[in-house]
Amino acid sequence: MDSFLIHGGNRLKGRVEISGSKNSALPILAATLMAEGRTRLHGVPRLSDIDSMIKLLGELGCHVHRHEPDPAAKQSDGPVLNGPLDIEVQDERKSEARYEIVKTMRASICVLGPILAKRGEAVIALPGGCAIGDRPVDLHVRGLQKLGAEFRLENGNICGKVHGRLKGCRMYLGGAQGPTVLGTVNVMCAATLAEGETVLVGAACEPEVVDCAELLIKMGAQIKGHGTPEIRIEGVDKLHEAEHRIIPDRIECGTFMIAAAITNGELELKHCNLDHLIAVQDRLEEVGVKLSRENGTIFVASARRLNPVEMTTQPYPGFPTDLQAQLMALLCLGDGISVITERVFPDRFLHVGELNRMGARVRKEGATAVVQGVKELQGATVMASDLRASAALVLAALAAKGTTRIDRVYHIDRGYEKIEQKLRAVGADIERIKEP
Ligand code: EPU
């Protein structure tokens, strides 16, 4: 288990290339299971979660090949860190996602809809709880049941079966906490191959859902209304090969915006879409961060004084839960009291205790955290507990006085491509300590 050693206090300055979106790439990779022929994807980041999904696709009979980056590729098209990824289904006999893979990556559940629709049966290990909460998959299962799939739970696995073909219908997909992102994608994927029309009411509107719909449309699917709470899908007989570029990672982008803000720095973030971060822009501007954009580049600069704010996480286009911990790190240095409420994952506060070890003053009350800004944070040894909580600790460490050691950074490697190289290139003092 590697650690990061960060000496805080450096102002970050320079240019950062934002990678393709992890949360877009994962369900999109699962959707390629439905295509006849090869799918070529550009901008798939190199991350451990992506490696797990590629491994799973391999076990499900796909041939996956990553090309070397093309030195002649145009920078303006998107990040050129990685070459394209080709996926081709070669063998449809195996339809099982084992617990060993699912337990390392919950997004494995995304293969459920695609393989049920294409192969007629699926066995997926039921994902357990995780550091950010219970994370049930009941809405995925209910949506697929409404399309006609039958399920039973057997030895910790969800076993699904379709007799004949799935049948389109009109359904409500929301749950107690609002819409579900991966549940929407799962049911939307399955509905593309169902008989007749499916209408998903209460669908998630996240850009990652839209990106997956765009790929499916390139494959021949008939989808309308993606990006709104009502998605209409007219089933087709088959999906064909396609080529697609994954959207920029809005969460990585938001994390670097906060990195500029917390170090009183100036960053130029390339290959981003500020439209996907409208609520984040709103809150950061309220804090006093200056943001501007030119084409696909965002310029971030921050004053020394940070205003306290109130923020509530919400489904898109609200403030994303995946940036809640990072904003909290920033507000720890705010000039007054900030209030953060988590509406998507009410228990997602494991970072609070670790930030307090660094001198922050955060008090949790139910799904709300009250952050009393302090003058400075101090370096300490802290432990990464989940992906975004770890990112918050990195941010706090960049601003803290002294040295911070962050243990268990494998959580960060799940979702931030080359984070220490990117941070070092703009002036951060960060090194990875490899465990022997
Ligand atoms: N929910 C249910 N039943 C379900 C599914 C979800 O009750 O069947 C609840 C969840 O417990 C939660 C709410 O609905 O309270 C929303 O969860 P959602 O299903 O939207 O989350 P997800 O699709 O499993 C994705 C991202 C998460 C991100 C959430 C919310 C991926 C791979 N994961 O998860 O990303 O936090 O949407 O935006 O896309 C991360 O990247 O660190 C991460 C956790």
Side-chain angles (χ1 to χ4, degrees):
M1 289 188 202
D2 297 354
S3 304
F4 279 157
L5 214 53
I6 299 175
H7 304 284
N10 294 1
R11 284 188 69 203
L12 301 191
K13 201 165 186 324
R15 181 184 293 180
V16 181
E17 289 241 338
I18 299 301
S19 297
S21 161
K22 164 186 86 85
N23 287 352
S24 218
L26 288 171
I28 278 182
L29 282 166
T32 67
L33 284 162
M34 299 190 300
E36 319 265 341
R38 187 199 70 186
T39 310
R40 173 162 289 185
L41 299 175
H42 299 271
V44 177
R46 274 185 195 269
L47 297 166
S48 58
D49 269 13
I50 298 287
D51 291 341
S52 303
M53 183 57 92
I54 290 176
K55 186 166 174 215
L56 177 55
L57 293 184
E59 293 195 1
L60 291 168
C62 298
H63 179 256
V64 184
H65 175 70
R66 196 189 271 274
H67 296 266
E68 287 305 310
D70 175 4
K74 280 192 287 170
Q75 276 275 335
S76 55
D77 284 348
V80 287
L81 285 169
N82 302 311
L85 196 72
D86 286 347
I87 305 102
E88 188 162 1
V89 184
Q90 291 183 335
D91 180 355
E92 296 201 327
R93 278 172 302 179
K94 199 149 176 268
S95 296
E96 185 185 348
R98 295 178 298 122
Y99 183 57
E100 282 61 38
I101 295 192
V102 177
K103 76 175 182 204
T104 59
M105 188 204 36
R106 299 182 55 86
S108 307
I109 190 71
C110 295
V111 303
L112 180 61
I115 51 180
L116 262 182
K118 185 73 181 15
R119 306 183 185 181
E121 60 183 345
V123 178
I124 314 280
L126 187 64
C130 89
I132 68 175
D134 289 344
R135 306 195 68 186
V137 292
D138 56 313
L139 300 172
H140 302 235
V141 169
R142 215 172 65 196
L144 294 167
Q145 270 171 337
K146 289 195 173 143
L147 293 179
E150 287 174 6
F151 290 95
R152 61 181 204 286
L153 184 67
E154 204 169 84
N155 308 119
N157 298 315
I158 318 170
C159 308
K161 203 162 181 56
V162 181
H163 299 284
R165 198 172 159 190
L166 292 170
K167 293 204 176 32
C169 68
R170 185 178 167 87
M171 70 173 88
Y172 179 66
L173 205 54
Q177 311 292 341
T180 161
V181 178
L182 295 182
T184 299
V185 175
N186 235 334
V187 182
M188 176 176 75
C189 281
T192 61
L193 290 176
E195 199 181 316
E197 191 189 49
T198 301
V199 183
L200 305 181
V201 182
C205 303
E206 269 68 3
E208 294 75 17
V209 176
V210 175
D211 202 25
C212 187
E214 296 292 346
L215 167 75
L216 293 168
I217 290 168
K218 287 178 188 162
M219 289 175 170
Q222 293 194 21
I223 306 177
K224 293 207 171 83
H226 43 299
T228 78
E230 187 166 309
I231 305 180
R232 285 177 179 270
I233 305 133
E234 184 64 45
V236 295
D237 290 338
K238 55 181 175 178
L239 298 173
H240 51 73
E241 56 179 41
E243 187 164 351
H244 184 72
R245 177 172 286 283
I246 306 289
I247 55 168
D249 195 313
R250 62 191 171 107
I251 306 303
E252 185 195 17
C253 182
T255 303
F256 274 98
M257 285 172 163
I258 297 174
I262 206 167
T263 62
N264 183 217
E266 266 173 61
L267 291 180
E268 203 179 301
L269 307 177
K270 287 190 74 74
H271 309 303
C272 339
N273 188 346
L274 193 54
D275 291 339
H276 291 168
L277 286 158
I278 184 105
V280 178
Q281 176 178 11
D282 176 73
R283 289 299 78 193
L284 287 182
E285 286 178 345
E286 194 75 17
V287 169
V289 179
K290 301 254 174 308
L291 292 168
S292 61
R293 71 161 134 188
E294 210 179 286
N295 302 320
T297 300
I298 301 178
F299 300 88
V300 198
S302 168
R304 198 160 287 280
R305 186 191 141 95
L306 303 168
N307 303 317
V309 296
E310 292 199 4
M311 184 282 281
T312 301
T313 65
Q314 281 167 341
Y316 190 81
F319 193 98
T321 172
D322 290 344
L323 283 170
Q324 179 256 109
Q326 300 89 317
L327 184 76
M328 184 185 291
L330 179 67
L331 295 176
C332 284
L333 291 167
D335 198 10
I337 295 175
S338 296
V339 179
I340 293 180
T341 302
E342 177 59 66
R343 285 257 167 82
V344 181
F345 292 111
D347 297 327
R348 196 177 199 175
F349 284 114
L350 280 178
H351 41 286
V352 168
E354 302 302 301
L355 288 171
N356 284 345
R357 296 200 73 240
M358 298 178 72
R361 286 180 58 193
V362 185
R363 189 165 42 85
K364 196 173 100 51
E365 282 176 18
T368 294
V370 179
V371 185
Q372 166 74 64
V374 294
K375 286 253 164 330
E376 67 177 24
L377 294 170
Q378 307 155 15
T381 297
V382 288
M383 196 164 74
S385 56
D386 73 78
L387 171 56
R388 309 304 173 184
S390 323
L393 296 178
V394 169
L395 294 171
L398 291 172
K401 193 161 176 234
T403 302
T404 301
R405 180 188 166 114
I406 306 177
D407 290 335
R408 299 195 176 185
V409 297
Y410 64 88
H411 287 293
I412 299 191
D413 297 332
R414 289 186 37 222
Y416 288 92
E417 187 173 36
K418 298 190 164 80
I419 188 167
E420 70 263 39
Q421 287 96 319
K422 289 187 185 185
L423 283 171
R424 250 200 315 268
V426 291
D429 187 342
I430 173 170
E431 67 177 295
R432 181 182 288 259
I433 307 173
K434 290 238 171 241
E435 277 296 304

